[in-house]
Amino acid sequence: MEKTTLFISYLNAIVVMGILIFWVNKNLNIQQHNFEFRESFALCLEAILLIFALYSIIGFHNNTYVKVINYIGFGLHLLATIAMLIFMLVFKMNKLF
């Protein structure tokens, strides 16, 4: 169980860093950026998940609250990935951008 918790923490940290790097890279060219509530909420959620994943990796993976938040974050990322895969399979896109 301890190895699973650490694996999920590493996986959450990798996914969150990838999302944050993508967001920063996408928004570098925007001169004036107005934050929407959805965007702010998603960024705050990802930052919180990164903090708890790093907190778990450092050595506090036995803490129950840290485990629960890491599993919830993993579940949200898994659901989002499944939803994106279903979207890709259902709808045909001719151009990416």
Side-chain angles (χ1 to χ4, degrees):
M1 190 68 168
E2 186 175 314
K3 290 181 182 180
T4 305
T5 304
L6 281 175
F7 177 72
I8 287 178
S9 298
Y10 280 112
L11 194 60
N12 276 345
I14 291 169
V15 170
V16 168
M17 284 190 280
I19 290 171
L20 292 177
I21 289 170
F22 173 78
W23 181 82
V24 167
N25 190 24
K26 187 182 114 186
N27 291 315
L28 280 177
N29 296 329
I30 297 176
Q31 297 294 331
Q32 182 179 0
H33 188 79
N34 297 324
F35 284 99
E36 293 182 11
F37 175 74
R38 293 177 294 171
E39 185 177 9
S40 300
F41 180 73
L43 287 174
C44 289
L45 178 71
E46 294 299 327
I48 289 170
L49 288 176
L50 181 63
I51 290 169
F52 277 99
L54 293 176
Y55 189 69
S56 177
I57 291 169
I58 288 171
F60 296 98
H61 53 271
N62 293 330
N63 193 340
T64 306
Y65 297 114
V66 175
K67 283 183 186 180
V68 168
I69 291 175
N70 277 324
Y71 281 115
I72 289 172
F74 177 73
L76 290 173
H77 288 146
L78 184 66
L79 287 174
T81 304
I82 290 171
M84 285 187 279
L85 288 174
I86 290 172
F87 182 80
M88 286 176 18
L89 291 173
V90 171
F91 297 103
K92 181 182 176 185
M93 295 189 291
N94 294 330
K95 292 183 180 179
L96 188 56
F97 294 107

